[in-house]
């Protein structure tokens, strides 16, 4: 049975480019898979997810019977995140670019998910998480496209590729980028307003198509 895990992380609840793309994908995917399981996690909602702390970190390396109450509570949060990933065959992530990388709540979600038991086999690149499709919808105020002046400053896609590959989720990983979302706001980017509109339209089209591939 197909199952979609949909994660958003933009702090913008209205007018978010990444949320627009993930919503387009999710709606088309759900229409194509009626009755399929669908789980939504909004990492930007208040109190959504605490950062990984010492209790949550050491709990993974201990026998659960010896967890302190604090470790048990934090471990339950991590187990829930893992369970949502294991239950999905498609993982959709909205990932705006913040300060050349990803929003801290999304980083926190990754820190909770990544644990030694999921490190990919160095030979096969596979882990217990492998076999899942991952689609990441990014949104960037500027452009980091290959060949552009800021391409080398993209610590978003390379980081996500690296860490998801590290836990065996790199085999079926694709990106849909919406770029130049701030072209109409930042005067220096004004010459690129039209490119931003085209990028957004292309991303929405790509999301609708990817959902029914
Ligand atoms: C805290 C913060 C940091 C940002 N840092 C960058 C950046 O480093 N590079 C960039 O191109 N845009 C940056 N932006 C702009 C966002 O990437 C852009 O507005 C994007 O559309 C946000 O995604 P959203 O539309 O889904 O909310 C930043 C925005 C915020 C709020």
């Amino acid at each position: 049975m197909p199952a979609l895990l949909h994660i958003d992380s933009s702090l913008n609840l209205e007018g978010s480019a990444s949320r627009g793309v993930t919503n387009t994908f999710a709606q088309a995917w759900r229409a194509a898979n009626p009755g399929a399981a669908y789980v939504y996690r909004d990492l930007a909602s208040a109190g959504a997810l605490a950062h990984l702390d010492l209790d949550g970190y050491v709990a993974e390396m201990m026998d659960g019977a010896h967890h302190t109450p604090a470790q048990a509570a934090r471990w339950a949060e991590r187990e829930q995140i893992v369970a949502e990933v294991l239950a999905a065959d498609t993982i959709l992530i909205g990932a705006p670019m913040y300060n050349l990388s990803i929003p801290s709540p999304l980083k926190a979600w990754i820190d909770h998910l990544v644990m030694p038991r999921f490190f990919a086999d160095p030979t096969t690149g596979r882990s217990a998480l492998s076999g899942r499709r991952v689609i990441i919808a990014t949104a960037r105020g500027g452009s980091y496209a290959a060949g552009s002046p800021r391409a080398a400053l993209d610590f978003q896609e390379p980081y996500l590729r690296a860490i998801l590959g590290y836990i065996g989720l790199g085999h079926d990983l694709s990106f849909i980028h919406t770029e130049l979302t701030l072209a109409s706001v930042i005067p220096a980017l004004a010459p690129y307003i039209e490119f931003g509109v085209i990028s957004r339209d292309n991303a929405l089209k790509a999301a609708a198509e990817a959902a029914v591939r």
Side-chain angles (χ1 to χ4, degrees), residues 10-20 95-101 137-144 150 156 178 180-182:
S10 169
L11 56 74
N12 285 317
L13 302 183
E14 303 288 335
S16 153
S18 62
R19 287 178 187 271
M97 177 181 277
Y98 287 172
N99 301 319
L100 305 180
S101 183
T138 78
R140 294 107 172 249
S143 177
Y144 298 79
R150 292 172 70 86
Q156 181 193 42
T178 305
L180 292 161
T181 64
L182 296 182

